[in-house]
Amino acid sequence: MPVTLQDIARDTKVSVVTVSKVLRNQGRISAATRQRVLRRARQLNYQPNWIARSLVTRKTFAIGLLLPDFTHPFFAEIAKAAAEALRPKGYHLVISYFEEDPEIEKSEVESLVARQVDGLILASAQPPEKADLFRSLRSRKVPLVLIDRPGDDGKCSFVGSDNEAIGILATSHLVACGCRKIAHLRGPKVGIAAARFTGYRKALKKHGLDYCPKYVVNGSYEDSRGYEVMKQLLSIEAMPDGVFCYNDPVAIGAINAIREAGLRIPEDIAVVGAGNVHYSDVLAIPLTTIDQGTQEIGHQAADLLLRQIGAPRLLRPTEILIEPKLVIRESTNRARMKN
Amino acid sequence: MPVTLQDIARDTKVSVVTVSKVLRNQGRISAATRQRVLRRARQLNYQPNWIARSLVTRKTFAIGLLLPDFTHPFFAEIAKAAAEALRPKGYHLVISYFEEDPEIEKSEVESLVARQVDGLILASAQPPEKADLFRSLRSRKVPLVLIDRPGDDGKCSFVGSDNEAIGILATSHLVACGCRKIAHLRGPKVGIAAARFTGYRKALKKHGLDYCPKYVVNGSYEDSRGYEVMKQLLSIEAMPDGVFCYNDPVAIGAINAIREAGLRIPEDIAVVGAGNVHYSDVLAIPLTTIDQGTQEIGHQAADLLLRQIGAPRLLRPTEILIEPKLVIRESTNRARMKN
DNA sequence: CTGAAAGCGCTAACAC
DNA sequence: GTGTTAGCGCTTTCAG
């Protein structure tokens, strides 16, 4: 039903090949036929079938972007930046998400690859010990850039943050604000959460504070969980006076729990998040956080992937770490603040 | 380089067709060959080329979702809901966005169609007088569901909110809160903003309040613009005591402007948004807003589109309006509140 | 400058 | 049960 090259060829009495060439501005074509073809194409409102084209050129100009959750503003901002970097080069983003479920992640990756995307940008939730997905991708030579969460033992290009630095930055800031009993709402067990946790411990140590396991609670990456988990923390004796939260949504949840308990922020408990998500400055208590440079991550990932796609052969994996920056707002603005 | 049906056929000494049938569980195949084929496919880690398949079946199982901005939580939530509704039926979402630019919108639509998506869900920014995009889509029989912003004169299926009702609900609530000088931060000139504006005027009239043009300022849909525009409003004499904002981000911007001016919310000025976006309850001043049922919009749009795709011939356009609901929070919680 | 031939990887329709 | 033939809409190659 749709208009094809055939139709135009028939009507203008030239071959399909010629039409194809005209429409792609390729090869020598006489001005006369070029006009005729172009005119007819316009009349018929011809639209090329990229599927057919892709089958022969083996290029789809589509990049798969696979995220844990695109409702999360952190990832949404990355997606936007990536799309912006890709668009001018004629590439499109096929976005998908897998709700932090490694199995869905796998099947989504396969779908994207089956759709013949030219490359993949992935914020993976594969557990560190399971490298089969990456191995399979590598063996099939699918251009891949991991973002936010490293994986595959550095055998794959990566763009993200220095998570240990984030942990250090956040925790040191809390110390500088006068906090002495600093808690940490850990993220899920992926490497990234571990690195932030390490940073947290290193900072404590550096400032001569004891690491106290009861101040570390586990496994959250969204506000609802942050809320619950913070409630737990509030119920222990010797309540913390500062909390470093895995990310901004968790911090938002934590803030809600703290206020609900009738405590003041930052006087009773200071709170630091991570991500510097777009709305974190208009919250009930504007949130001190670590900016991870979402824009930068999106851009760099896109650029890196494109370079990989354009390269004649496999490039050796590159790792790009975006420098985290402390953004100080009300949630840690104590009178006795020194930093 | 990738494994094809050919490879498996050669190795197992059957025809390509047989392999194809085995892999799709179709037609009668002897248990013996089935096993052989399956085993070889697994050994080779065969992955079907959907591009090739699509070319012949004329189905891609991809749905295009085109949004003004997927960083906006309102649309992100719709996207998520749509993806969830589509996934179990084997469909994927190809998400793209156009930054409220009608020209980019057009070109993105064409890309998506060129990629042979099976249908399109679109929150369009085409100006009402320009129906050529819709006309072109209609003539090509591309299954299309408009969301959030109606268009094409009801010739196209639509899922969204009753925007006049939103305007009435929000404005009436402000009246009930004791506001008498109610301003409106209008959205951009699309039909939806006009409808909310109409609702605003109707509600004023119903409650015996005069409509006063100076209280209506124009053209914003994001927080930064909401901030600027609210500042303007604050500079006029006889400042408003209530504001109905086009959407939640605009309201957030407005709130910032109001606080910055040293005024109190809701005592000096009460604020109502629209959208009930995920973070609107954790803001500096939790925002009274109109819930538009984003989940519902996403689901319904997906279902409707699927029904359209499955139908033997063109269905007549359906319009689904989700009932807006008032969500009362702090930003309108005045002592003298009566509603 | 133009076109005939071949084929991308797969499936539909029909033989055998 | 299995294979043959044909073709989806397009581009590539190469001969004229």
Side-chain angles (χ1 to χ4, degrees):
Chain A
M1 199 79 246
V3 185
T4 70
L5 290 189
Q6 279 276 16
D7 299 325
I8 302 176
R10 188 187 353 88
D11 296 358
T12 55
K13 306 204 185 311
V14 292
S15 78
V16 174
V17 184
T18 305
V19 179
S20 169
K21 281 177 179 157
V22 169
L23 262 22
R24 282 176 303 137
N25 283 316
Q26 235 214 47
R28 287 164 247 311
I29 302 286
S30 75
T33 52
R34 143 168 261 99
Q35 291 316 319
R36 263 192 310 146
V37 168
L38 248 25
R39 199 156 57 84
R40 192 60 186 147
R42 213 170 309 116
Q43 287 172 349
L44 260 31
N45 188 23
Y46 169 78
Q47 299 299 139
N49 182 331
W50 289 15
I51 290 280
R53 175 184 295 177
S54 294
L55 188 57
V56 24
T57 60
R58 290 154 179 294
K59 283 276 293 174
T60 56
F61 284 94
I63 300 293
L65 174 62
L66 194 46
L67 301 171
D69 176 2
F70 53 54
T71 269
H72 193 314
F74 177 75
F75 291 117
E77 281 165 30
I78 290 179
K80 188 171 192 164
E84 257 151 35
L86 255 19
R87 208 198 306 264
K89 320 260 173 156
Y91 284 83
H92 267 227
L93 225 40
V94 181
I95 308 177
S96 202
Y97 77 105
F98 53 84
E99 311 181 71
E100 300 284 0
D101 178 332
E103 284 312 307
I104 302 186
E105 178 187 350
K106 270 192 201 175
S107 86
E108 289 296 311
V109 165
E110 292 308 343
S111 285
L112 256 10
V113 173
R115 289 210 152 87
Q116 312 295 117
V117 292
D118 294 338
L120 219 44
I121 301 179
L122 172 61
S124 175
Q126 294 296 307
E129 67 278 9
K130 299 280 273 181
D132 57 321
L133 178 62
F134 301 124
R135 214 175 319 120
S136 142
L137 250 20
R138 199 148 15 88
S139 79
R140 283 183 274 169
K141 305 197 199 317
V142 179
L144 171 66
V145 171
L146 258 25
I147 55 169
D148 188 44
R149 309 160 177 200
D152 206 17
D153 288 328
K155 288 193 218 85
C156 175
S157 285
F158 173 75
V159 180
S161 316
D162 181 341
N163 288 295
E164 201 175 298
I166 289 178
I168 294 178
L169 210 53
T171 311
S172 298
H173 173 63
L174 285 170
V175 174
C177 290
C179 300
R180 287 299 169 265
K181 292 171 295 183
I182 300 175
H184 176 36
L185 302 196
R186 257 199 71 144
K189 294 212 161 293
V190 249
I192 174 174
R196 290 185 192 179
F197 176 52
T198 305
Y200 161 78
R201 295 188 60 171
K202 284 198 177 170
L204 287 183
K205 190 165 191 178
K206 194 174 85 182
H207 295 97
L209 295 175
D210 284 336
Y211 161 61
C212 183
K214 73 172 177 187
Y215 284 145
V216 176
V217 284
N218 250 323
S220 50
Y221 51 83
E222 49 175 25
D223 52 354
S224 57
R225 292 282 303 139
Y227 174 83
E228 294 166 25
V229 151
M230 188 68 217
K231 270 191 142 169
Q232 279 178 232
L233 254 184
L234 292 175
S235 67
I236 64 177
E237 24 76 79
M239 226 178 47
D241 56 4
V243 198
F244 160 41
C245 300
Y246 177 62
N247 63 17
D248 287 353
V250 169
I252 290 172
I255 287 179
N256 284 346
I258 296 170
R259 299 178 86 204
E260 210 176 280
L263 298 165
R264 292 160 309 162
I265 300 171
E267 293 82 356
D268 298 317
I269 305 184
V271 179
V272 179
N276 194 21
V277 132
H278 188 209
Y279 292 106
S280 48
D281 58 341
V282 292
L283 300 172
I285 293 116
L287 183 65
T288 292
T289 186
I290 312 294
D291 190 299
Q292 300 183 49
T294 47
Q295 307 246 1
E296 195 68 6
I297 294 177
H299 263 108
Q300 297 274 13
D303 283 353
L304 189 52
L305 187 61
L306 251 28
R307 233 174 300 140
Q308 217 161 103
I309 290 171
R313 57 195 334 100
L314 227 58
L315 262 47
R316 76 171 192 303
T318 312
E319 188 182 68
I320 300 179
L321 289 187
I322 311 297
E323 175 104 22
K325 293 197 198 67
L326 179 65
V327 180
I328 303 177
R329 300 206 185 91
E330 282 307 307
S331 70
T332 59
N333 183 23
R334 293 170 153 205
R336 47 189 154 145
M337 190 173 111
K338 298 166 197 139
N339 190 7
Chain B
M1 197 81 250
V3 185
T4 70
L5 289 189
Q6 279 276 16
D7 299 324
I8 302 177
R10 186 186 355 85
D11 295 358
T12 56
K13 307 205 184 310
V14 292
S15 77
V16 174
V17 183
T18 304
V19 178
S20 168
K21 282 178 181 158
V22 169
L23 263 22
R24 282 178 300 136
N25 283 316
Q26 235 211 50
R28 287 165 248 309
I29 304 286
S30 75
T33 52
R34 145 170 261 98
Q35 291 315 321
R36 265 193 309 149
V37 168
L38 247 25
R39 200 157 57 85
R40 191 61 187 144
R42 215 170 307 118
Q43 287 171 351
L44 262 32
N45 188 21
Y46 169 78
Q47 300 297 141
N49 182 329
W50 289 15
I51 292 279
R53 175 184 294 178
S54 293
L55 188 56
V56 24
T57 61
R58 292 157 177 292
K59 282 276 294 176
T60 56
F61 284 94
I63 301 294
L65 174 62
L66 193 47
L67 301 172
D69 177 2
F70 53 53
T71 268
H72 193 313
F74 177 76
F75 290 116
E77 282 166 29
I78 290 179
K80 189 171 194 167
E84 258 151 32
L86 255 19
R87 200 187 327 249
K89 320 260 176 162
Y91 284 83
H92 268 228
L93 225 40
V94 180
I95 307 176
S96 201
Y97 75 105
F98 53 84
E99 312 181 70
E100 299 285 359
D101 179 333
E103 283 313 308
I104 302 185
E105 179 187 350
K106 269 192 200 175
S107 86
E108 289 296 312
V109 164
E110 291 309 343
S111 286
L112 257 8
V113 173
R115 278 179 207 291
Q116 311 296 117
V117 291
D118 294 339
L120 218 45
I121 301 178
L122 172 62
S124 174
Q126 295 297 309
E129 66 277 11
K130 300 280 273 182
D132 57 325
L133 178 61
F134 302 123
R135 215 177 317 121
S136 142
L137 250 20
R138 200 148 16 89
S139 80
R140 283 183 274 168
K141 303 199 201 314
V142 180
L144 171 66
V145 171
L146 259 25
I147 55 170
D148 187 45
R149 309 159 176 200
D152 204 16
D153 287 330
K155 287 193 217 85
C156 175
S157 285
F158 173 74
V159 180
S161 316
D162 180 341
N163 287 295
E164 202 176 296
I166 289 178
I168 294 177
L169 211 52
T171 310
S172 298
H173 173 63
L174 286 169
V175 173
C177 290
C179 301
R180 288 297 169 266
K181 293 173 294 183
I182 300 174
H184 177 36
L185 303 195
R186 256 199 72 143
K189 293 212 162 294
V190 248
I192 176 173
R196 291 186 189 178
F197 176 52
T198 304
Y200 162 79
R201 295 189 59 172
K202 283 198 178 171
L204 288 183
K205 191 164 191 181
K206 193 174 85 181
H207 295 97
L209 295 173
D210 284 337
Y211 161 61
C212 182
K214 74 173 174 186
Y215 284 145
V216 176
V217 284
N218 251 322
S220 50
Y221 50 84
E222 50 175 23
D223 51 354
S224 58
R225 292 281 301 137
Y227 175 82
E228 293 166 25
V229 151
M230 188 69 217
K231 269 192 141 167
Q232 279 177 231
L233 254 185
L234 292 175
S235 67
I236 65 177
E237 25 75 77
M239 224 178 48
D241 56 5
V243 199
F244 160 41
C245 301
Y246 178 61
N247 64 17
D248 287 353
V250 168
I252 290 171
I255 286 179
N256 285 346
I258 295 170
R259 298 178 86 201
E260 210 177 280
L263 297 166
R264 292 161 309 162
I265 300 170
E267 293 81 355
D268 297 318
I269 304 183
V271 180
V272 179
N276 193 22
V277 134
H278 188 206
Y279 293 106
S280 48
D281 57 342
V282 292
L283 299 171
I285 292 114
L287 184 64
T288 293
T289 185
I290 311 294
D291 190 297
Q292 299 182 50
T294 46
Q295 306 247 3
E296 193 69 7
I297 293 177
H299 264 107
Q300 297 273 14
D303 282 354
L304 189 52
L305 187 61
L306 252 27
R307 232 174 300 142
Q308 217 161 104
I309 291 171
R313 57 194 335 100
L314 228 59
L315 261 47
R316 76 173 192 301
T318 313
E319 189 182 68
I320 300 179
L321 290 186
I322 312 295
E323 176 104 18
K325 291 196 199 66
L326 180 64
V327 180
I328 302 178
R329 300 204 185 92
E330 282 307 306
S331 70
T332 59
N333 183 22
R334 294 171 152 203
R336 49 190 153 144
M337 192 174 113
K338 295 165 198 139
N339 190 8

